[in-house]
């Protein structure tokens, strides 16, 4: 491959996880299995929530939307990687790279926003139980999901506009299995200090502010739970937050690892491992966390599967 500044780029090369030909069948089977498990788990949650009238509540409404976002999030990257492994090709078009990047940020931000909305829902349910049904009305819940979507769309398009400002690239090899805006900036041959500053500022706003809302919500939730006199009441109140808190820790933990590995370690292999944890493992584990820790979800899934098998 020729080196030097490339003023016009029609395609990039996704370097993936490994160059070893012997590992390709193993990677194909592993990621295909993880993708199918993720799709099955999230679809089961969506079907269980929609088919069971007992789960037609704000918490499970947001959960089903979170599952939809996880399906979109993993479908943005893994199918392309599976096809690349099978066809022994690493090429992705310039337009395809920008589209993949935009969709990845859209669904990733949607995950973040929905986790924030779910934290607010738990805050209202525990801290203001008498007014919960009035505050979290179906119309307001739908409004929160729409706002989450439009804010996520705004962030993805802002990142897209920043990348579109790049006029030339010094390389076309992306050291990952998907297109990432920060890595595209690293490949640019022009000075990207301003673009990088703006991009990280946008990421900080859309990442840090939701985290502050979640942190404040759980601060108020824990303060409210500690005032409950009985230990059984405390356990029951906190049990409704356990699954959500686990998913929040997993989401922000993997997102932080991706940020640290890309900005501190400067190791491509560590970047890829962190990206796999964030883009593949997290959406796969979310359904298991909610189904294993939530008795209502398990009952709804069992009723749905029993109904399908009997019919």
């Amino acid at each position: 491959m020729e080196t030097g500044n490339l003023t016009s780029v029609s395609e990039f090369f996704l370097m993936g996880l490994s160059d070893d030909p012997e590992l390709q069948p193993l990677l194909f089977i592993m990621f295909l299995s993880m993708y199918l498990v993720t799709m099955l788990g999230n679809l089961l949650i969506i079907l269980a929530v929609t088919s069971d009238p007992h789960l037609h509540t704000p918490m499970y409404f947001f959960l089903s939307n979170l599952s939809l976002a996880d399906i979109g999030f993993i479908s943005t990257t893994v199918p392309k990687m599976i096809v690349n492994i099978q066809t022994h090709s690493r090429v992705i078009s310039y337009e395809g790279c920008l589209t993949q990047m935009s969709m990845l940020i859209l669904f990733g931000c949607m995950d973040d926003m929905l986790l924030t909305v779910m934290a607010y829902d738990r805050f209202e349910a525990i801290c203001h139980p008498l007014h919960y049904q009035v505050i979290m009305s179906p119309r307001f819940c739908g409004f929160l999901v729409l706002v989450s979507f439009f804010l996520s769309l705004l962030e993805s398009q802002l990142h897209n506009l920043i990348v579109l400002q790049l006029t030339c690239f010094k390389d076309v090899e992306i050291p990952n299995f998907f297109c990432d805006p920060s890595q595209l900036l690293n490949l640019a041959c022009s000075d990207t200090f301003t673009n990088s500053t703006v991009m990280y500022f946008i990421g900080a706003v859309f990442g840090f502010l939701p985290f502050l809302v979640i942190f404040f919500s759980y601060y108020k939730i824990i303060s409210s739970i500690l005032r409950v006199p009985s230990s059984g009441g405390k356990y029951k109140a906190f049990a409704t937050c356990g699954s959500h808190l686990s998913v929040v820790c997993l989401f922000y933990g993997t997102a932080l690892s991706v940020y640290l590995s890309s900005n501190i370690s400067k190791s491509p292999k560590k970047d890829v491992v962190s990206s796999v944890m964030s883009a593949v493992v997290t959406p796969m584990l979310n359904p298991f966390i909610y189904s294993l820790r939530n008795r209502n979800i398990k009952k709804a899934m069992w009723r749905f599967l029993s109904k399908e098998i009997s019919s």
Side-chain angles (χ1 to χ4, degrees), residues 229-284:
S230 65
S231 58
K234 291 180 180 178
Y235 175 79
K236 185 177 180 180
F238 194 74
T240 62
C241 306
S243 300
H244 176 259
L245 193 57
S246 300
V247 172
V248 167
C249 292
L250 180 64
F251 178 84
Y252 279 100
T254 54
L256 184 62
S257 69
V258 170
Y259 176 80
L260 292 177
S261 64
S262 61
N263 290 277
I264 296 178
S265 70
K266 303 301 181 181
S267 171
K269 289 186 177 180
K270 290 183 179 180
D271 290 352
V272 173
V273 172
S274 300
S275 298
V276 169
M277 290 296 297
S278 177
V280 183
V281 176
T282 299
M284 182 184 69

Side-chain angles (χ1 to χ4, degrees), residues 8-30:
S8 61
V9 173
S10 60
E11 59 188 26
F12 292 97
F13 291 87
L14 300 174
M15 302 312 294
L17 277 74
S18 174
D19 296 329
D20 190 351
E22 296 181 356
L23 285 178
Q24 301 308 305
L26 177 62
L27 291 175
F28 176 82
I29 294 172
M30 181 177 70

Side-chain angles (χ1 to χ4, degrees), residues 37 39-52 55 63 67 286-292 294-309:
V37 168
M39 294 294 290
L40 178 62
N42 283 291
L43 284 174
L44 278 176
I45 285 184
I46 294 171
L47 291 172
V49 170
T50 54
S51 64
D52 195 328
L55 300 185
L63 175 59
S67 293
N286 285 352
F288 290 98
I289 293 173
Y290 273 103
S291 60
L292 293 176
N294 193 301
R295 189 176 303 172
N296 293 330
I297 287 289
K298 284 190 287 187
K299 288 181 178 179
M301 282 186 176
W302 177 250
R303 282 194 293 266
F304 174 78
L305 291 175
S306 301
K307 186 188 299 183
E308 291 298 315
I309 292 172

Side-chain angles (χ1 to χ4, degrees), residues 65-290:
N65 280 277
L66 181 67
S67 293
L68 279 174
D70 281 337
I71 289 174
F73 188 60
I74 195 171
S75 296
T76 304
T77 57
V78 175
K80 174 63 178 174
M81 181 178 62
I82 292 173
V83 171
N84 287 354
I85 293 174
Q86 187 66 16
T87 59
H88 306 288
S89 172
R90 298 180 177 183
V91 177
I92 184 171
S93 66
Y94 178 79
E95 295 79 10
C97 186
L98 292 182
T99 301
Q100 186 186 64
M101 181 193 70
S102 299
M103 299 302 291
L104 186 71
I105 296 173
L106 170 65
F107 289 115
C109 186
M110 191 71 181
D111 265 358
D112 193 15
M113 294 296 170
L114 287 172
L115 289 173
T116 306
V117 169
M118 294 170 76
Y120 173 72
D121 171 70
R122 292 298 84 204
F123 162 73
E124 292 293 349
I126 294 174
C127 299
H128 306 108
L130 298 179
H131 303 285
Y132 176 70
Q133 295 296 335
V134 176
I135 296 173
M136 302 303 294
S137 63
R139 179 176 295 182
F140 184 61
C141 291
F143 171 76
L144 289 176
V145 172
L146 284 177
V147 169
S148 300
F149 173 76
F150 283 116
L151 287 176
S152 303
L153 185 62
L154 174 63
E155 184 187 10
S156 70
Q157 294 310 303
L158 287 175
H159 279 86
N160 215 3
L161 287 174
I162 292 173
V163 174
L164 286 172
Q165 302 302 313
L166 305 178
T167 56
C168 65
F169 297 89
K170 57 190 175 185
D171 201 350
V172 292
E173 292 185 350
I174 299 175
N176 213 324
F177 62 94
F178 59 86
C179 291
D180 182 82
S182 61
Q183 291 174 343
L184 289 177
L185 285 178
N186 292 334
L187 296 179
C189 57
S190 57
D191 183 19
T192 60
F193 176 78
T194 302
N195 290 338
S196 298
T197 303
V198 174
M199 181 175 292
Y200 284 116
F201 176 76
I202 293 171
V205 169
F206 282 90
F208 188 65
L209 289 182
F211 177 78
L212 283 181
V213 174
I214 294 173
F215 181 82
F216 177 77
S217 297
Y218 272 101
Y219 167 75
K220 301 298 287 185
I221 287 171
I222 293 173
S223 300
S224 181
I225 290 175
L226 292 177
R227 291 196 294 267
V228 176
S230 65
S231 58
K234 291 180 180 178
Y235 175 79
K236 185 177 180 180
F238 194 74
T240 62
C241 306
S243 300
H244 176 259
L245 193 57
S246 300
V247 172
V248 167
C249 292
L250 180 64
F251 178 84
Y252 279 100
T254 54
L256 184 62
S257 69
V258 170
Y259 176 80
L260 292 177
S261 64
S262 61
N263 290 277
I264 296 178
S265 70
K266 303 301 181 181
S267 171
K269 289 186 177 180
K270 290 183 179 180
D271 290 352
V272 173
V273 172
S274 300
S275 298
V276 169
M277 290 296 297
S278 177
V280 183
V281 176
T282 299
M284 182 184 69
L285 292 181
N286 285 352
F288 290 98
I289 293 173
Y290 273 103

